[in-house]
Amino acid sequence: VLVRLAEADPAATAFWRMVFALPVFLVWAMLERRGTASESLKASLDPRLVWACVAAGFSFAVDMTLSNIALGLTTMTSFIILVHLAPVVVVAVAWLWFRERPNLGIIMALALAIAGAALLVQSGRVSAAPRNAMLGDIASVAAAFGYAGFILATRRARLFGSTGLISLISALACAAFCLIFSFALGESIWPPSAYSYLMLAIMGVVCHAFGQGLSAYAVGSLGA
């Protein structure tokens, strides 16, 4: 909802989301380092951690840009349902990559979720659909793959580092990719009003710093 309230361009919205999340992640990373044995920052930056964070940042940039485009084309109901197909991708790839074999309960839950999503999307079409709703739905599904990539790459990074540092590096990478996407799409990088900045700040702190930050913490002890 905040994406629509901000009224900024899609990739630019994702860029500012990262910008406002960065101070929170910086403080988070500093607090984590205070609670651990003294180790140089260079020593803690395992190349495998860095590359996984860059992959997470790229994946999230794709997810956010496509999500923000989809929100302008399709209904909120269709977007929310389709973009949350990401767990299907996560389960499949985690099975192959991390050898996290899903149990019968997870498989049954996914099957029910997909069937329910299909029914809800179809029922949402009873009313007049937006002109480019199908394109928006496709962008939503593609965004789901981007978010799945973010979760899987973050899971990989958590094998080598702490939540704050991983979130900080991935957010920096994501901001850089979003900036590139914004220029490539010919967007205006600047939000249109002070109200837009406020919405983007709330999005950055609440939705990303705490939402995705806690997700990054969770995948360190839970399966992807």
Side-chain angles (χ1 to χ4, degrees):
V1 175
L2 291 170
V3 171
R4 288 185 172 176
L5 293 176
E7 297 182 337
D9 289 330
T13 296
F15 169 76
W16 286 105
R17 170 176 171 150
M18 296 303 114
V19 169
F20 285 113
L22 283 172
V24 180
F25 287 143
L26 180 60
V27 172
W28 192 333
M30 292 172 65
L31 290 174
E32 281 180 338
R33 287 183 62 78
R34 285 180 59 186
T36 58
S38 58
E39 181 185 24
S40 68
L41 179 61
K42 184 177 180 180
S44 64
L45 292 177
D46 188 306
R48 293 169 296 182
L49 179 147
V50 174
W51 281 113
C53 288
V54 171
F58 174 76
S59 297
F60 204 75
V62 170
D63 169 39
M64 284 292 93
T65 301
L66 290 173
S67 293
N68 296 344
I69 290 172
L71 275 168
L73 298 176
T74 190
T75 63
M76 183 70 75
T77 302
S78 291
F79 166 74
I80 291 295
I81 292 166
L82 293 173
V83 81
H84 284 94
L85 290 175
V88 179
V89 183
V90 170
V91 168
V93 178
W95 189 353
L96 299 173
W97 191 6
F98 293 118
R99 298 295 186 267
E100 294 178 2
R101 185 172 183 174
N103 58 36
L104 181 61
I106 288 178
I107 294 173
M108 291 176 64
L110 286 176
L112 285 170
I114 293 169
L119 288 171
L120 285 168
V121 171
Q122 185 61 35
S123 66
R125 291 285 182 262
V126 173
S127 57
R131 183 177 179 181
N132 295 312
M134 181 61 72
L135 185 60
D137 290 347
I138 293 170
S140 299
V141 173
F145 279 84
Y147 188 70
F150 167 74
I151 290 294
L152 291 164
T154 301
R155 166 70 168 146
R156 174 70 176 172
R158 286 287 279 119
L159 299 175
F160 308 107
S162 61
T163 305
L165 182 61
I166 289 167
S167 298
L168 179 63
I169 298 172
S170 63
L172 280 168
C174 185
F177 285 121
C178 287
L179 196 59
I180 294 170
F181 293 165
S182 183
F183 286 131
L185 293 169
E187 297 180 350
S188 170
I189 194 66
W190 304 108
S193 65
Y195 179 77
S196 296
Y197 278 103
L198 176 61
M199 295 300 102
L200 292 166
I202 295 172
M203 198 185 308
V205 174
V206 178
C207 302
H208 194 76
F210 288 98
Q212 302 310 322
L214 292 173
S215 294
Y217 177 81
V219 295
S221 55
L222 297 175

